[in-house]
């Protein structure tokens, strides 16, 4: 493995910003300093660019079955797109089946990623039921598998949804075992009723996906999950927060001293509910859950990121082609596969719309796209920062280039862009994973299958 020195760039972490060189040896950052020398080193010129820690995306769904189909991006195309977007580590969701050992599900997800991923990855584990079998497996999952986060769905009735008893018992177990519980917070029972009523009334267009999942039901479920967390004296991570009601519940719980963390996603920061009203079924491209909200919620979310009420930005990558997949819901919005192609644009959108528009600082940007997720999910300081001894996961980022997001130029295996035509400033030029180039001068130079599964440490956020 060659020694590399990244020279001339401005290093930016969640705390610091300074000009220095970075020497990389055996996949790790060996030294940071001015005018580093090594006669055997390959010199990488980062002049005029920021050098960021590689992005950590805490929320992806690759090669995932849903609604009678499978996501368009698998671990190969999805991680290549992630790398082009500045992300060097993902944590994907491993779905489980009731009555089957948890180990079976993990083996299935390992097989999906094996020989395909080009960046490092970990897994969250879905919990759909709590019984003696599951309880006996959880310590093993954490200690041997390094899977230290569990997800409970409060939505998708009769498919993924768990009851409140399961959520509460999962929170209790997580506290004992050193794990973090994640929730998809929507009131699935009421949503199911509203969906059936809409279909009964002939309301079948994509916009009714949003209208049957009102923000009040996200707020209610978030508050319910927060109260159960307090009762269990546990900790909670609320995924894909979209609305003022949910932000309020998280903020109130945190003000009471509860360990509750909130994640939002780029799509909720820059898109709104009107996209689902696009004609000719185009609105189906923007069907995911929770749905896009009215535009005024965007300012609430940006403010929550700025003031620390929300702490991370994930992609919730879950891509389905418009042709042949989203079209499964023509005539019945409830059959449109839920999800969108986001993984490649998360990093640049947050920089362009956040940092350059003074909504967040550049240090908050790094924390939101990398550092905080690595801390919450047991990856820090191996991932999520630029420090001696950390993995050399680095993004050389040109902050000045202007470009237009489009399906014609993205690397996701999907036939549309959720952000088609949107102008952004800033682009990853080169991306390294453990000291090896995955993307170099905007060209893919990585090796399919080079990504490694990362065993994560127990939850320990102070």
């Amino acid at each position: 493995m060659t020694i590399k020195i990244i020279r001339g760039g401005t290093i930016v972490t969640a705390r610091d910003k300074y000009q220095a060189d970075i020497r990389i040896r055996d996949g790790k950052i060996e030294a940071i300093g001015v005018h580093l020398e090594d006669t055997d080193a390959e010199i990488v010129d980062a002049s005029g660019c920021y050098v960021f820690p590689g992005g950590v995306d805490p929320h992806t769904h690759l090669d995932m079955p849903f609604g009678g189909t499978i996501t368009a991006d698998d671990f190969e195309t999805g991680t290549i797109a992630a790398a082009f977007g500045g992300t060097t580590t993902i944590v994907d969701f491993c779905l489980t089946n009731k009555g089957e050992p948890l180990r079976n599900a993990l083996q299935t997800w390992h097989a999906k990623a094996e020989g395909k991923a080009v960046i490092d990855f970990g897994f969250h584990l879905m919990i759909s039921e709590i019984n003696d079998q599951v309880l006996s497996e959880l310590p093993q999952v954490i200690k041997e598998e390094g899977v230290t986060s569990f997800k409970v769905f409060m939505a998708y009735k009769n498919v993924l949804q768990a009851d409140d008893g399961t959520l509460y018992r999962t929170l209790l177990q997580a506290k004992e075992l050193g794990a973090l519980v994640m929730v998809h917070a929507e009131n699935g029972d009421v949503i199911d009723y509203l969906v059936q009523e809409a279909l009964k009334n002939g309301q079948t267009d994509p916009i009714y996906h949003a209208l049957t999942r009102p923000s009040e039901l996200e707020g209610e479920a978030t508050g319910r999950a927060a109260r159960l967390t307090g009762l269990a004296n546990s900790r909670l991570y609320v995924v894909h927060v979209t609305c003022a009601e949910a932000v309020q519940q998280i903020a109130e719980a945190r003000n009471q001293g509860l360990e509750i963390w909130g994640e939002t996603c780029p799509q909720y920061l820059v898109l709104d509910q009107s996209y689902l009203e696009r004609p000719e079924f185009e609105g189906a491209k923007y069907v995911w859950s929770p749905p896009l909200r009215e535009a005024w919620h965007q300012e609430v979310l940006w403010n929550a990121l700025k003031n620390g009420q929300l702490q991370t930005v994930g992609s919730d990558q879950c891509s389905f082609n418009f042709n042949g997949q989203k079209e499964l819901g023509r005539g019945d919005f409830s059959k449109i596969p839920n999800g969108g192609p986001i993984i490649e644009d998360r990093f640049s959108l947050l920089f362009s719309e956040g940092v350059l528009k003074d909504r967040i600082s550049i240090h908050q940007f790094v924390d939101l796209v990398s550092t905080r997720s690595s801390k919450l999910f047991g990856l820090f300081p191996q991932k999520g920062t630029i420090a001696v001894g950390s993995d050399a996961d680095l993004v050389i980022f040109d902050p000045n280039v202007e470009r237009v997001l489009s399906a014609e130029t993205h690397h996701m295996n999907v036939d549309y862009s959720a952000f088609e035509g949107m102008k952004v400033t800033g682009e990853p030029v080169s991306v390294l994973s453990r000291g090896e180039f995955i993307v170099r001068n905007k060209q893919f130079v990585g090796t399919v299958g080079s990504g490694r599964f990362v065993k994560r440490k127990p939850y320990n956020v102070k």
Side-chain angles (χ1 to χ4, degrees):
M1 186 176 287
T2 59
I3 302 166
K4 296 182 179 70
I5 293 177
I6 298 177
R7 181 161 288 162
T10 300
I11 297 170
V12 186
T13 69
R15 291 186 176 181
D16 301 306
K17 180 181 178 184
Y18 56 95
Q19 284 197 300
D21 302 338
I22 301 170
R23 187 166 64 227
I24 300 165
R25 188 192 300 266
D26 297 330
K28 300 283 187 180
I29 296 173
E30 183 182 60
I32 302 171
V34 179
H35 305 308
L36 293 180
E37 296 295 337
D38 194 311
T39 54
D40 297 323
E42 173 190 354
I43 304 300
V44 180
D45 184 10
S47 301
C49 292
Y50 289 128
V51 182
F52 292 127
V56 177
D57 190 338
H59 190 160
T60 68
H61 301 280
L62 301 177
D63 198 357
M64 188 190 83
F66 185 91
T69 188
I70 298 175
T71 54
D73 281 292
D74 64 7
F75 276 84
E76 180 176 335
T77 63
T79 57
I80 289 173
F84 272 99
T87 292
T88 55
T89 306
I90 61 168
V91 192
D92 201 75
F93 284 93
C94 172
L95 301 186
T96 57
N97 295 313
K98 289 184 178 180
E100 293 185 11
L102 300 177
R103 184 180 296 174
N104 289 8
L106 287 166
Q107 288 174 346
T108 297
W109 249 255
H110 276 293
K112 290 175 184 284
E114 184 71 29
K116 290 186 174 182
V118 305
I119 60 174
D120 291 350
F121 59 94
F123 296 140
H124 308 294
L125 186 67
M126 169 189 166
I127 302 294
S128 57
E129 60 181 346
I130 284 285
N131 53 38
D132 290 343
Q133 177 183 310
V134 171
L135 290 173
S136 68
E137 280 196 83
L138 287 180
Q140 204 173 20
V141 164
I142 293 173
K143 188 173 182 180
E144 295 181 13
E145 293 282 347
V147 173
T148 56
S149 45
F150 306 137
K151 184 176 183 181
V152 178
F153 285 89
M154 301 173 77
Y156 301 116
K157 187 175 175 67
N158 300 321
V159 182
L160 300 173
Q161 183 176 331
D163 59 29
D164 286 355
T166 297
L167 172 57
Y168 182 66
R169 293 184 68 189
T170 302
L171 287 162
L172 289 172
Q173 282 301 114
K175 179 183 68 172
E176 296 299 320
L177 297 173
L180 179 59
V181 178
M182 316 169 78
V183 286
H184 175 136
E186 289 184 288
N187 188 316
D189 292 332
V190 178
I191 288 169
D192 184 65
Y193 172 79
L194 294 175
V195 168
Q196 298 310 318
E197 286 295 297
L199 295 175
K200 196 184 302 180
N201 293 328
Q203 298 168 327
T204 61
D205 291 338
I207 186 59
Y208 289 100
H209 173 76
L211 298 179
T212 56
R213 305 178 88 100
S215 57
E216 290 87 349
L217 296 184
E218 184 183 340
E220 183 278 329
T222 303
R224 182 160 33 108
R227 285 167 182 80
L228 292 175
T229 301
L231 189 64
N233 190 27
S234 191
R235 50 261 173 164
L236 184 75
Y237 180 98
V238 184
V239 301
H240 50 42
V241 172
T242 76
C243 62
E245 292 91 336
V247 168
Q248 181 181 358
Q249 294 293 336
I250 292 168
E252 288 180 1
R254 289 176 62 83
N255 287 341
Q256 293 167 10
L258 299 184
E259 278 190 85
I260 296 187
W261 310 92
E263 163 201 284
T264 191
C265 309
Q267 53 272 41
Y268 303 116
L269 296 168
V270 300
L271 305 177
D272 64 69
Q273 184 177 298
S274 67
Y275 283 77
L276 282 88
E277 297 180 278
R278 292 191 167 186
E280 304 300 322
F281 198 62
E282 287 279 318
K285 294 177 177 179
Y286 304 93
V287 166
W288 43 69
S289 298
L292 293 173
R293 304 299 186 189
E294 292 179 347
W296 65 268
H297 288 274
Q298 293 174 5
E299 185 178 0
V300 175
L301 296 175
W302 280 114
N303 287 338
L305 292 174
K306 187 176 184 69
N307 65 28
Q309 292 170 334
L310 297 176
Q311 298 81 28
T312 68
V313 175
S315 67
D316 195 10
Q317 163 75 16
C318 191
S319 60
F320 297 98
N321 285 307
F322 179 64
N323 294 302
Q325 290 189 299
K326 291 285 189 178
E327 287 181 325
L328 293 170
R330 280 191 185 271
D332 182 347
F333 71 87
S334 70
K335 294 181 179 176
I336 300 170
N338 281 210
I342 314 292
I343 199 168
E344 188 167 350
D345 301 315
R346 177 184 74 111
F347 201 95
S348 291
L349 275 171
L350 199 67
F351 180 83
S352 186
E353 292 293 313
V355 177
L356 296 186
K357 294 188 177 180
D358 293 324
R359 288 164 162 154
I360 55 174
S361 73
I362 197 166
H363 301 295
Q364 287 179 307
F365 161 77
V366 173
D367 200 42
L368 290 164
V369 299
S370 182
T371 308
R372 182 68 56 159
S373 290
S374 72
K375 289 180 175 179
L376 287 171
F377 295 108
L379 293 164
F380 191 84
Q382 179 184 357
K383 309 288 187 184
T385 193
I386 297 175
V388 172
S390 296
D391 284 355
D393 294 353
L394 302 168
V395 179
I396 300 173
F397 188 89
D398 185 341
N400 299 311
V401 64
E402 296 181 350
R403 59 196 176 102
V404 177
L405 302 181
S406 174
E408 292 183 3
T409 52
H410 74 201
H411 300 85
M412 292 173 282
N413 185 38
V414 65
D415 61 5
Y416 76 97
S417 168
F419 310 105
E420 187 69 41
M422 190 172 294
K423 295 178 181 178
V424 296
T425 301
E427 182 177 24
V429 176
S430 296
V431 178
L432 297 93
S433 172
R434 285 179 279 105
E436 295 298 314
F437 283 104
I438 304 296
V439 175
R440 186 162 196 172
N441 297 323
K442 306 181 188 179
Q443 300 297 314
F444 178 69
V445 295
T447 302
V448 173
S450 62
R452 296 178 186 170
F453 176 73
V454 184
K455 290 187 176 182
R456 296 181 289 115
K457 293 173 287 192
Y459 176 87
N460 184 28
V461 175
K462 299 299 183 185

